[in-house]
Amino acid sequence: MSTTARAQKAPDTRGPVRKLLTSFGFQILAALVLGIAAGLIGRQLGATAENPNGLSATLDTIGNSYVTLLRAAVVPLIFTAIVASISNLRRVQNAARLAGQTILWFAITAFIAVIIGIVLGLVIQPGNRAGEGLETGEPYTVGTWWNFLLGLIPQNFLGLTVNTSPGAADGTFSSSVGFNILQVIVVAAVIGIAALKAGKKAEPFLIFTESLLKVIQRVLWWIIRIAPLGTFGLIGSAVIKYGWEKLASLGWFAAAVYIGLALVLFVVYPILVRTHGLSIKQYFSGVWPAVQLAFVSRSSIGTLPLTERVTERNLGVPRSYASFAVPLGATTKMDGCAAIYPAIAAIFVAQFFGIELNFVQYLLIVIVSVVGSAATAGTTGAVVMLTLTLSTLGLPLEGVGLLLAIDPILDMGRTAVNVAGQALIPTIVAKREGILNEELYNAPREGLPFADDSGDDEDAPEADAATDKEPVGTR
């Protein structure tokens, strides 16, 4: 699509009220407020996590159904996105340099984030200020370096796992099927590299994979469109289940985590944006739709299509590079889950159990956070990363049980920061390498970033990125 074609696009005739009502940000915010109100009403009616009523059950069903829809697309999305992103490197000049710069800046921002986490843990001392009634307990999953390395070895082509456990007293057994996301990533990366090495003979496979990715992303767009409904259910259910009582005994810990997240999102990232000669306002207005969805869904992978879309269309990163950097970031770039949170949580556990940490242990926190981000693999929750940190430091894993009660509340903020960083790094690297479309970066934000792109054309990524049509069904 040419620039001339874009100039001839019909003007937006929607009135200000209709523009507001069809705004993705307004819909998410409205759903957030309504969800909190519904949750408070549910608690007034006596609903709790142990004793649900009709309202709480409805909210829980709505929220869980939305998360289930997101998770259903995770495995095919990861596989096709990684294979396609690696294959796209063949279209990029200086691909190795871009990849190296991307990984370097992932590490730099992770280092800054973990230092902030350590400083906050030492200053606020949340473990020494913990309230009464906290219960220790073994985590449901444990991360160690050995298990992490073993987990990289695919057990089968799909990374498929089956867990069988005894059921009721009648002696029956129940089985659940899952996927080891790390193994899916490894399989996809190996296939992508092999396809590159195979040359022209692999072109049909790569074309098919990129087409399949487009289909999967289209399904994700449909799921993303109902994000306000999912937000309503998730927030309402969270208010009923956790309320403010759970925060009472862990208030200082929650405050330390959110202060750290705020410092990274609203101080560190803007400084990096400004030092590269870019507008802070344009960065936030461009990335905010993805940050909002990440806050609600608590999944970097579930937000991946929208993150990639805003990185290309709003921030001006060329599609050929963004399609590599953003999926890579969604699986390894975790400033919230893998840097700030494990640093503060490890210090909390040490303080709670009266264990003095030495300089070497603080250094290990930094190393684990910078190197071990892939252990989170873009899925919801950061328990694996926390247990990996605790086991490396030799701290009691029972401390994880102290924090599980408010983990969903913290995970919303952690994932939002993760996604903001996953869009930031490609933008910075593109600017440093002279390939950023600054005209597009500084352009007014119009339309919805997840709108259908029926005219999507791989041969004109920059032109296409500037176009944001109104989605079907809003008229």
Side-chain angles (χ1 to χ4, degrees), residues 431-453:
K431 169 66 174 177
R432 295 172 65 89
E433 295 298 314
I435 60 175
L436 184 70
N437 186 337
E438 294 191 50
E439 180 181 354
L440 182 57
Y441 182 95
N442 293 313
R445 309 300 183 205
E446 296 180 356
L448 299 176
F450 54 87
D452 286 335
D453 49 344

Side-chain angles (χ1 to χ4, degrees), residues 77-394:
L77 178 65
I78 288 179
F79 181 86
T80 54
I82 291 180
V83 173
S85 66
I86 292 175
S87 67
N88 279 330
L89 289 177
R90 73 191 189 279
R91 303 172 182 169
V92 182
Q93 292 183 346
N94 299 322
R97 176 181 172 85
L98 282 174
Q101 287 282 318
T102 303
I103 294 173
L104 174 62
W105 277 98
F106 282 177
I108 290 173
T109 53
F111 175 78
I112 296 173
V114 72
I115 294 299
I116 290 175
I118 291 174
V119 171
L120 287 173
L122 294 176
V123 171
I124 297 178
Q125 297 192 4
N128 294 329
R129 299 185 179 189
E132 301 294 332
L134 293 179
E135 297 181 1
T136 61
E138 290 286 354
Y140 57 82
T141 182
V142 177
T144 66
W145 287 107
W146 183 247
N147 289 340
F148 173 66
L149 293 175
L150 289 178
L152 294 176
I153 303 173
Q155 299 178 10
N156 52 70
F157 177 73
L158 297 176
L160 189 65
T161 60
V162 178
N163 296 319
T164 302
S165 57
D170 57 4
T172 60
F173 288 83
S174 61
S175 297
S176 60
V177 178
F179 291 89
N180 186 314
I181 299 299
L182 281 176
Q183 293 181 13
V184 175
I185 293 171
V186 170
V187 170
V190 171
I191 291 177
I193 294 172
L196 278 183
K197 295 295 184 181
K200 291 184 178 180
K201 292 183 178 180
E203 283 295 328
F205 169 74
L206 295 177
I207 293 173
F208 168 77
T209 302
E210 291 177 358
S211 298
L212 180 59
L213 176 59
K214 285 291 183 182
V215 172
I216 296 170
Q217 286 181 327
R218 183 55 53 89
V219 174
L220 260 294
W221 299 146
W222 296 340
I223 297 174
I224 288 171
R225 290 180 187 214
I226 62 172
L229 181 61
T231 301
F232 173 74
L234 289 168
I235 297 300
S237 179
V239 170
I240 291 175
K241 287 183 178 179
Y242 307 110
W244 303 114
E245 294 82 359
K246 296 289 186 180
L247 282 173
S249 57
L250 292 170
W252 286 104
F253 173 73
V257 171
Y258 266 96
I259 290 172
L261 296 173
L263 286 174
V264 171
L265 181 58
F266 297 114
V267 178
V268 175
Y269 288 173
I271 289 176
L272 291 175
V273 169
R274 195 60 188 162
T275 54
H276 286 84
L278 299 173
S279 166
I280 297 173
K281 175 178 176 294
Q282 288 297 101
Y283 164 70
F284 278 116
S285 65
V287 79
W288 204 249
V291 171
Q292 289 176 317
L293 182 61
F295 184 84
V296 174
S297 67
R298 296 168 46 211
S299 172
S300 294
I301 292 296
T303 313
L304 171 59
L306 185 54
T307 308
E308 187 172 337
R309 182 63 59 91
V310 299
T311 303
E312 296 172 5
R313 293 192 167 194
N314 290 352
L315 302 182
V317 178
R319 177 177 302 166
S320 55
Y321 168 53
S323 61
F324 161 76
V326 177
L328 178 65
T331 54
T332 60
K333 174 61 179 164
M334 305 284 166
D335 287 344
C337 290
I340 296 172
Y341 175 74
I344 297 177
I347 294 174
F348 172 91
V349 171
Q351 292 170 349
F352 184 85
F353 287 99
I355 300 172
E356 290 288 337
L357 298 179
N358 55 40
F359 176 78
V360 173
Q361 288 173 308
Y362 287 120
L363 183 61
L364 284 175
I365 293 176
V366 175
I367 295 173
V368 171
S369 298
V370 174
V371 177
S373 296
T376 58
T379 56
T380 55
V383 175
V384 172
M385 188 64 195
L386 176 56
T387 59
L388 179 65
T389 305
L390 295 181
S391 61
T392 302
L393 299 177

Side-chain angles (χ1 to χ4, degrees), residues 32-44 47-49 56 59 232-246 409 412:
L32 184 67
V33 173
L34 292 174
I36 292 174
L40 292 176
I41 293 173
R43 290 184 69 82
Q44 287 294 324
T48 63
S56 65
L59 292 170
F232 173 74
L234 289 168
I235 297 300
S237 179
V239 170
I240 291 175
K241 287 183 178 179
Y242 307 110
W244 303 114
E245 294 82 359
K246 296 289 186 180
I409 298 173
M412 293 186 290

